[in-house]
Each structure stands twice: as C-alpha cells, then as structure tokens.
C-alpha cells in the first residue's frame, strides 16, 4: 500500500501494488472514473471533459470495462500527484480500465512493466521510462520478474526480489505506506 500526496491538496491517493520495485517507473496515475477524489482534484480546464468521460464510462458494465482492452480511453484531470521518492509531478488521469470496486480504484501506472499502462501511455503520448536493465521495451512492456532494476536511485543493480524488499523497507521508513 502506497500513498501519493496530491500537489494542490492535503489529500493522498492510495494505491495497492504487487510491484513496489517498479516505483521509479511510475510516469502517471489512473483513477477509476468513480473514484471519490476525481471531482475534487479535476482542474477547471478539464471539468467538462472529465464529466463527459465519467458519463461515458458509467454506461459500461464493469465486465465490459475489464474485457475491452482494444479500445483505449481516458481523460487527464489536470491534477498532479507527487512521486513519493523523487518528488516529481505525476499526471493524474481517469480511465475506465481502472475499477472503483477493485483495490483502491487507483493505479500507479508503470508502462515499462505493465501492458495496459504501456498501451495507455502510447495512446496518450505519455513518457515511458525503462527501469529494467538490458530489457527492450520499444514494442511492449516487460512483464517478467527476472530483471535487474535500473534508473531507480537506491534500487539500481538489484534483482526484482531484492528490489521489492528494499522498496517496501524505504516506503515504510518514509511513512509513505506499508508492506
């Protein structure tokens, strides 16, 4: 469990991840359209577009939203979270592939390591950082767990299993979440 502070709010967005080792690969976040923070964080510039997207998403069943992996859709909220380690601003989007009823209804998107995040990032022109040493991600995400972590500060050079433990330890030490 990991909390991302919001740039312009005292609220945080909680995500659950099975891959804390990929924390430095986060390049955006995606909330379920029904997530309770969506209306609070959406900037005035994106209010109408977010409302329209929420309406469209509400017309689909959860089953349809999970099954429809070919049609990529989403909407930027104009809001930013702060990366819990680097402090970098992370765009917050809504997307119907994230379900409010599953986990926390929020995803820390790591496009280099998750195919749905990869497809979403490619579709919307979002940066994809490669955090896997020697692994090619120009065509698709690298989803195996046998990599060595790179471009990730204190996790550099660690195999995934050791990077997971080190990331959880640091998350807990910083008070940003728990293992």
């Amino acid at each position: 469990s990991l909390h991302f502070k919001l740039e312009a709010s005292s609220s945080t967005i909680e995500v659950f991840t099975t891959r804390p080792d990929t924390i430095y690969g986060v390049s955006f976040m995606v909330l379920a359209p029904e997530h309770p923070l969506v209306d609070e964080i959406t900037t005035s510039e994106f209010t109408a577009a977010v409302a329209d997207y929420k309406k469209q998403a509400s017309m689909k069943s959860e089953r349809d939203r999970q099954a429809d992996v070919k049609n990529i859709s989403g909407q930027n909220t104009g809001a930013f979270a702060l990366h819990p380690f680097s402090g970098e601003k992370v765009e917050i989007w809504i997307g119907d592939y994230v379900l409010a009823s599953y986990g926390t209804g929020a995803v820390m998107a790591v496009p280099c390591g998750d195919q749905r995040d990869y497809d979403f990032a490619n579709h919307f022109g979002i940066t994809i950082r490669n955090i896997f040493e020697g692994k090619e991600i120009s065509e698709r995400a690298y989803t195996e767990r046998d990599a060595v972590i790179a471009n990730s500060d204190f996790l550099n050079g660690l195999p995934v299993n050791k990077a997971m433990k080190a990331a959880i330890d640091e998350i807990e030490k910083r008070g940003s979440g728990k293992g």
Side-chain angles (χ1 to χ4, degrees):
S1 175
L2 182 59
H3 292 266
F4 284 75
K5 292 180 180 175
L6 294 173
E7 180 187 42
S9 169
S10 60
S11 297
T12 63
I13 295 174
E14 182 182 8
V15 299
F16 173 80
T17 180
T18 60
R19 296 294 308 268
D21 57 304
T22 65
I23 186 67
Y24 282 97
V26 173
S27 55
F28 61 102
M29 296 184 79
V30 183
L31 305 181
E34 310 81 10
H35 192 284
L37 286 175
V38 171
D39 291 337
E40 176 186 325
I41 66 170
T42 299
T43 63
S44 58
E45 176 186 359
F46 293 99
T47 301
V50 165
D52 184 52
Y53 186 82
K54 286 172 62 174
K55 183 177 179 183
Q56 290 174 34
S58 73
M59 293 185 218
K60 297 179 186 176
S61 70
E62 282 193 2
R63 176 179 234 155
D64 290 341
R65 286 168 56 178
Q66 286 178 307
D68 189 11
V69 295
K70 292 193 187 323
N71 296 313
I72 298 163
S73 70
Q75 175 57 53
N76 193 331
T77 66
F80 292 91
L82 300 176
H83 191 283
F85 290 172
S86 70
E88 289 178 34
K89 289 168 52 168
V90 177
E91 288 182 333
I92 303 171
W93 291 68
I94 57 173
D96 64 7
Y97 78 96
V98 179
L99 304 176
S101 63
Y102 185 79
T104 63
V107 170
M108 63 173 218
V110 181
C112 69
D114 181 276
Q115 193 60 46
R116 283 189 129 182
D117 296 344
Y118 185 93
D119 295 341
F120 191 94
N122 271 334
H123 184 79
F124 289 107
I126 301 170
T127 299
I128 299 174
R129 290 187 200 106
N130 191 355
I131 58 159
F132 302 119
E133 189 174 294
K135 302 300 181 185
E136 177 59 46
I137 62 160
S138 62
E139 305 266 331
R140 62 182 299 106
Y142 185 77
T143 59
E144 303 301 317
R145 293 180 180 230
D146 63 353
V148 171
I149 303 298
N151 303 314
S152 298
D153 194 35
F154 69 96
L155 299 174
N156 288 342
L158 295 176
V160 166
N161 61 339
K162 288 186 178 175
M164 280 193 192
K165 173 145 180 34
I168 291 168
D169 290 347
E170 188 63 22
I171 288 165
E172 290 180 342
K173 179 179 160 189
R174 292 178 184 223
S176 298
K178 61 183 179 174

